[in-house]
Amino acid sequence: MNVLFVIGNGFDLQLGLPTSYCDFYQYYCKCPSNSKVINKLKDNINTLGDRNWSDLELALGKYTANTQDSSEFITVYDDIQKELQNYLLTVDSLVEQNVLELNATPESFFDGFRNPEKYFMSEISDTINSYIVEQNFNFGPGVLNVKVLSFNYTHTFEHFYNMPIPEELNGGDRYLGKKFHVHRELMNNASIWLGVDNLDQIENESFRQNEDIILRLVKQDIIREIGTSIIEDTDRMISTADLICLFGVSLGDTDATWVKKIGKSISFGVPTLYFVKEQKSFVSDNDRLVSQRRFKNGLVRKLENLGLSIDKDKMRLFVEVNSPIFIDGTENRHDENLKKVLEKLSVVD
């Protein structure tokens, strides 16, 4: 059975890591700079806050409208790209040194990795299993050909995946056929890819003809410039999946190309487990079902807006809200971990 896990920043946040853009801004806005244009950007972030800067990539595309001088924007972009990489490399390093406390264990990670359907409402879990049995998929014990498409820069997934499988969960082989970081993984000697999906998301129209801007800010152009094998490999990962698990991914506009490709598989009826987060507690299972339906309809509308035709009777999209998958039940230590990262970077007040 070919299983595709698509993970985003919500995976790191679920485990207690301070990897949101809002976390990063607490570091970035305190970094000293002699550049007027960089300080102007930081003032903009501080003034407008989450309302405009919750999605850094989309905000950068809009921020191009603040200047007609491409060299000024390049100065801003290069600085924020460099500092985001520095911040996340620090997080990665502290995870590997076990300085940051994660609310996950090898047991909880591998259980979610091997049995994601367990973390749905019981009746929905039964429905997922029934459908998989009908399709003669080998799910659970046995060989799982797992591919991972990560929208993260960090190596949190690899941190756990490279650990030995707990004996009580070692009921079969797991084969990691392919893993790919869509935005490029963290490396000291290579820049991360930070930007928008397409030219239309660059608000300053004059910049849409500027190659210095395009090959910094438009992720699809960067990938095409590097080589089509990346596109072919990821397309194959998506198109051959028998089951798709979406966890912690915003499926936002700045990744519209990838969302459309995954959406095609969903529209073809590939069973898809969609784990989402909502900042609320549910008073009943009925209340939870209302939230699940809202997220499902929201994703369908997003895919339809991307030009896909969705047959709801054919679609096998299962939604779970605030699932405890991957975690061990201990307290999320996000705030403590953020403080440790900022202390390491010497920007704590």
Side-chain angles (χ1 to χ4, degrees):
M1 180 180 182
N2 294 319
V3 180
L4 176 65
F5 268 81
V6 183
I7 62 172
N9 189 46
F11 177 78
D12 284 0
L13 294 174
Q14 175 92 330
L15 273 56
L17 290 178
T19 54
S20 72
Y21 288 136
C22 295
D23 294 327
F24 162 65
Y25 297 142
Q26 294 193 49
Y27 157 69
Y28 183 63
C29 290
K30 294 176 183 176
C31 291
S33 174
N34 294 322
S35 168
K36 291 182 179 179
V37 294
I38 290 172
N39 288 327
K40 178 182 175 182
L41 170 72
K42 293 176 181 178
D43 288 341
N44 189 282
I45 294 172
N46 282 323
T47 301
L48 299 179
D50 292 353
R51 181 167 59 87
N52 284 62
W53 286 94
S54 58
D55 186 332
L56 171 59
E57 294 178 308
L58 196 61
L60 281 172
K62 294 178 179 179
Y63 194 75
T64 58
N66 285 34
T67 179
Q68 294 301 313
D69 187 333
S70 61
S71 64
E72 287 188 359
F73 180 78
I74 288 170
T75 296
V76 164
Y77 176 88
D78 288 352
D79 185 70
I80 204 166
Q81 179 194 48
K82 178 192 71 175
E83 294 300 347
L84 178 61
Q85 180 159 342
N86 182 45
Y87 178 85
L88 293 176
L89 279 168
T90 301
V91 173
D92 239 16
S93 175
L94 294 178
V95 168
E96 287 304 307
Q97 296 171 43
N98 296 313
V99 173
L100 302 186
E101 297 184 56
L102 306 184
N103 56 317
T105 61
E107 289 79 7
S108 64
F109 169 79
F110 282 114
D111 190 54
F113 184 56
R114 293 296 300 270
N115 305 291
E117 85 290 351
K118 275 179 53 177
Y119 295 89
F120 279 73
M121 190 181 297
S122 60
E123 293 86 353
I124 298 177
S125 178
D126 291 342
T127 301
I128 296 169
N129 279 315
S130 295
Y131 183 76
I132 289 171
V133 169
E134 287 174 10
Q135 300 300 313
N136 295 316
F137 291 147
N138 178 21
F139 194 60
V143 176
L144 285 178
N145 181 19
V146 177
K147 299 179 177 67
V148 179
L149 198 61
S150 175
F151 284 80
N152 293 340
Y153 304 109
T154 59
H155 296 98
T156 314
F157 182 89
E158 290 89 337
H159 173 76
F160 281 98
Y161 190 89
N162 292 331
M163 293 179 178
I165 303 176
E167 186 175 345
E168 62 270 24
L169 297 177
N170 197 9
D173 296 325
R174 62 190 170 94
Y175 169 61
L176 185 60
K178 188 81 173 178
K179 71 177 177 67
F180 179 69
H181 287 255
V182 175
H183 298 157
R184 210 178 201 187
E185 60 187 299
L186 284 168
M187 295 177 282
N188 284 307
N189 59 349
S191 302
I192 56 176
W193 296 338
L194 173 72
V196 297
D197 182 76
N198 54 70
L199 290 175
D200 289 342
Q201 292 172 353
I202 299 177
E203 196 158 315
N204 185 332
E205 294 184 14
S206 68
F207 285 0
R208 297 175 187 175
Q209 310 297 322
N210 187 320
E211 290 189 357
D212 286 345
I213 300 288
I214 292 170
L215 288 178
R216 282 174 166 82
L217 197 55
V218 184
K219 290 179 288 191
Q220 295 303 316
D221 280 79
I222 294 169
I223 292 172
R224 284 191 290 269
E225 187 69 19
I226 289 173
T228 58
S229 63
I230 295 173
I231 298 174
E232 292 167 356
D233 285 348
T234 52
D235 285 353
R236 195 176 302 112
M237 290 170 66
I238 295 168
S239 63
T240 60
D242 298 313
L243 177 76
I244 297 173
C245 297
L246 305 174
F247 185 86
V249 284
S250 64
L251 303 177
D253 292 342
T254 55
D255 288 307
T257 297
W258 303 107
V259 175
K260 187 172 183 178
K261 291 177 179 182
I262 295 168
K264 283 184 180 179
S265 292
I266 296 174
S267 70
F268 293 154
V270 174
T272 302
L273 312 187
Y274 183 30
F275 294 90
V276 296
K277 199 78 172 176
E278 186 169 27
Q279 297 301 321
K280 66 171 290 186
S281 299
F282 299 105
V283 299
S284 66
D285 285 341
N286 307 77
D287 190 27
R288 181 183 297 275
L289 287 171
V290 171
S291 182
Q292 291 169 353
R293 173 66 66 86
R294 186 171 67 253
F295 277 104
K296 180 183 291 187
N297 290 341
L299 180 55
V300 169
R301 284 194 300 272
K302 180 174 292 187
L303 298 180
E304 289 175 338
N305 289 337
L306 289 172
L308 296 176
S309 177
I310 304 295
D311 183 345
K312 292 184 180 180
D313 292 329
K314 185 178 181 181
M315 184 177 64
R316 296 292 182 270
L317 177 61
F318 305 97
V319 180
E320 185 57 75
V321 184
N322 297 345
S323 171
I325 187 171
F326 299 126
I327 58 178
D328 61 4
T330 58
E331 180 184 359
N332 186 301
R333 300 186 180 272
H334 170 277
D335 293 348
E336 295 175 28
N337 287 334
L338 175 59
K339 184 177 180 181
K340 290 177 181 178
V341 173
L342 296 179
E343 286 176 346
K344 181 68 175 179
L345 291 165
S346 303
V347 293
V348 174
D349 291 331

